Amino acid sequence: MIDLSDILNHLGEDRASYQGSVVPPIFQTSMFAFESVAKFRESLKDELNNPFYTRGHNPTTAILRKKLAALEGADDCLVFASGSAAIAAGVMVSVKQNDHVVCVQKPYSWTKQLLGTLLEKFGVASTFVDATDVAHIAAALQPNTRLIMLESPNSMTFEMQDLAAIATLAKRLNIRTLCDNSYASPLNQSPLALGIDMVAHSGTKYLNGHSDVVAGVLCASHSIIREVFQGPFMTLGAILPPFESWLMLRGMRTLRLRMRQVAESAQMIVAFLSAHPMVEHVYFPQSNAQQSLAAQQMSGAAGMLSIRVKTADFAGVERFCNALKRFLLACSWGGYESLAFPVCGLFSSENYSASEQTLPFNLVRLSIGLEEPELLIEDLAQALAQV
Ligand SMILES: *Cc1c(COP(=O)(O)O)cnc(C)c1O
């Protein structure tokens, strides 16, 4: 068992070197100075691990990297200006022109844009498959497939992939795997332990947890992290600045407490919504068709769920959303505050057409925050009465 309190409270911190300060200082500097050319040269030999220039290494950020790597059971970790930057770096370092990627059907929207549009321009092709069945991934592989991009559970409807089975398949064929682990958080799922090569997070969500930072995380072996560092990390330069690293360290002190509370509240809310006549369907990994897979590869629930409101038109969902008082209508998720994300807000009733690819217009995603669950249920009940 990992010693979570040691990781969150102590790992990577060197209090004696900053006068006993309990909280680490923000090393708000772009570069570091040396007493001699020899020391300058020594530091430059390993920019990933030594203070030289803040694009490569910063002591505040280094504490964060150590904690995140330990949480994921990884050798090392890099942090980025956003989750999207972290995912793009993990993908870009793994493919070259004329390579092929297999990706889950409904990944995070900008992951889809990266693979389906941006990298397509550079001669990297992608196939998107329903990856709830490993056989669909196997069937989509080509001789030039170099990467399998996973997101389990995904962030709107929570489809899962059998990570251990996919890792076994990929290793046999020497294909790299990357899993977006933002939903589960490192506390509820450890893809690397199941054989996955790289784990990415939107640190913006549960890891920071306070809705005041946009950040990304990529965890992997020493050798992959070196490759990423020498490649997209240093060339594209989408780094997490020291202040944001410090805010994230602060947010992570309460990671375990926050995850416990949102899981407990979400499970109460799922029970309430599942029995409600105005709710057509509840999406939640632990109560869906794939719940046995959830039990197999996740150690607990997180705090986000989706519902389909029982209504035939946009106006019904809009009445529900507009009536919510304790849930803020906003994108993103994973913070202290409860949020509702209305899919109908992505369309107008005129330009919406239902298909396999589009999410149902009556889908509303709920990110459960730290409010009393009874109050959230009361709010949902009065809003559902408005449908
Ligand atoms: C938000 C999100 C991302 C992107 O992260 P940013 O920090 O917003 O760039 C990636 N994956 C998932 C599942 C997300 O929810």
Side-chain angles (χ1 to χ4, degrees):
M1 202 181 105
I2 63 166
D3 185 344
L4 207 49
S5 37
D6 184 61
I7 295 172
L8 297 177
N9 293 4
H10 305 298
L11 182 78
E13 318 212 16
D14 181 12
R15 294 181 172 109
S17 79
Y18 27 80
Q19 305 188 30
S21 173
V22 167
V23 174
I26 307 168
F27 286 88
Q28 192 70 35
T29 180
S30 54
M31 81 291 260
F32 301 83
F34 300 91
E35 286 162 9
S36 66
V37 175
K39 286 190 170 155
F40 178 105
R41 187 182 293 125
E42 189 56 33
S43 198
L44 186 55
K45 268 190 201 152
D46 183 6
E47 263 200 278
L48 170 60
N49 294 309
N50 295 324
F52 185 79
Y53 184 53
T54 279
R55 173 152 44 79
H57 182 104
N58 177 280
T60 308
T61 307
I63 301 170
L64 178 62
R65 285 176 47 208
K66 288 203 178 105
K67 289 185 195 291
L68 289 164
L71 288 175
E72 281 294 356
D75 287 350
D76 204 351
C77 157
L78 285 168
V79 290
F80 293 81
S82 70
S84 299
I87 292 166
V91 170
M92 286 177 66
V93 81
S94 305
V95 295
K96 59 180 185 335
Q97 193 175 20
N98 300 323
D99 282 348
H100 175 249
V101 179
V102 174
C103 179
V104 294
Q105 194 160 46
K106 290 183 222 156
Y108 178 68
S109 55
W110 295 103
T111 300
K112 189 146 202 174
Q113 189 75 10
L114 169 75
L115 292 169
T117 306
L118 182 64
L119 290 182
E120 176 119 330
K121 275 203 338 189
F122 297 94
V124 176
S126 294
T127 307
F128 297 90
V129 295
D130 170 3
T132 53
D133 185 342
V134 188
H136 297 160
I137 291 196
L141 296 176
Q142 300 176 7
N144 58 339
T145 305
R146 298 268 42 98
L147 178 72
I148 301 175
M149 175 72 216
L150 305 168
E151 185 179 318
S152 186
N154 79 6
S155 65
M156 290 299 282
T157 43
F158 318 118
E159 287 91 29
M160 280 167 273
Q161 301 103 52
D162 185 335
L163 298 178
I166 293 168
T168 303
L169 171 74
K171 276 198 195 324
R172 187 153 46 77
L173 300 167
N174 206 18
I175 297 170
R176 217 177 246 184
T177 46
L178 167 53
C179 181
D180 183 334
N181 200 28
S182 303
Y183 178 89
S185 93
L187 303 197
N188 290 321
Q189 183 168 272
S190 305
L192 299 178
L194 299 172
I196 298 297
D197 297 314
M198 298 178 278
V199 169
H201 283 276
S202 170
T204 314
K205 314 293 167 53
Y206 285 134
L207 289 170
N208 180 59
H210 290 71
S211 304
D212 50 11
V213 171
V214 174
V217 177
L218 189 70
C219 296
S221 64
H222 284 304
S223 65
I224 292 179
I225 290 295
R226 279 255 171 233
E227 261 184 72
V228 175
F229 182 77
Q230 294 298 333
F233 188 82
M234 285 302 273
T235 59
L236 300 179
I239 65 159
L240 193 67
F243 179 53
E244 273 72 8
S245 295
W246 185 89
L247 280 173
M248 237 183 109
L249 281 169
R250 185 166 79 153
M252 279 168 50
R253 304 289 187 193
T254 55
L255 179 65
R256 172 163 42 188
L257 282 172
R258 289 187 282 106
M259 291 308 291
R260 255 189 218 151
Q261 183 59 52
V262 298
E264 188 186 310
S265 300
Q267 282 160 310
M268 287 172 67
I269 289 166
V270 165
F272 164 76
L273 292 170
S274 300
H276 198 286
M278 291 314 291
V279 176
E280 196 174 88
H281 187 72
V282 179
Y283 300 81
F284 190 61
Q286 280 73 17
S287 67
N288 280 2
Q290 289 182 293
Q291 57 182 271
S292 64
L293 180 57
Q296 177 188 315
Q297 67 187 14
M298 295 174 71
S299 56
M304 189 157 67
L305 58 122
S306 294
I307 56 173
R308 287 203 315 265
V309 178
K310 195 173 277 178
T311 172
D313 55 18
F314 270 52
V317 205
E318 290 185 31
R319 279 194 298 274
F320 164 72
C321 292
N322 294 341
L324 290 167
K325 294 190 173 72
R326 294 184 186 269
F327 288 79
L328 304 175
L329 279 184
C331 69
S332 197
W333 51 273
Y336 61 90
E337 76 293 16
S338 289
L339 303 175
F341 181 100
V343 166
C344 67
L346 303 173
F347 306 95
S348 69
S349 55
E350 293 79 34
N351 70 14
Y352 177 80
S353 72
S355 83
E356 273 283 293
Q357 298 307 315
T358 40
L359 291 162
F361 76 93
N362 56 344
L363 191 115
V364 179
R365 186 181 72 185
L366 301 173
S367 176
I368 307 305
L370 302 176
E371 305 88 343
E372 289 81 354
E374 296 78 8
L375 297 177
L376 295 176
I377 288 173
E378 212 175 87
D379 192 29
L380 289 164
Q382 66 78 25
L384 282 166
Q386 305 298 312
V387 175

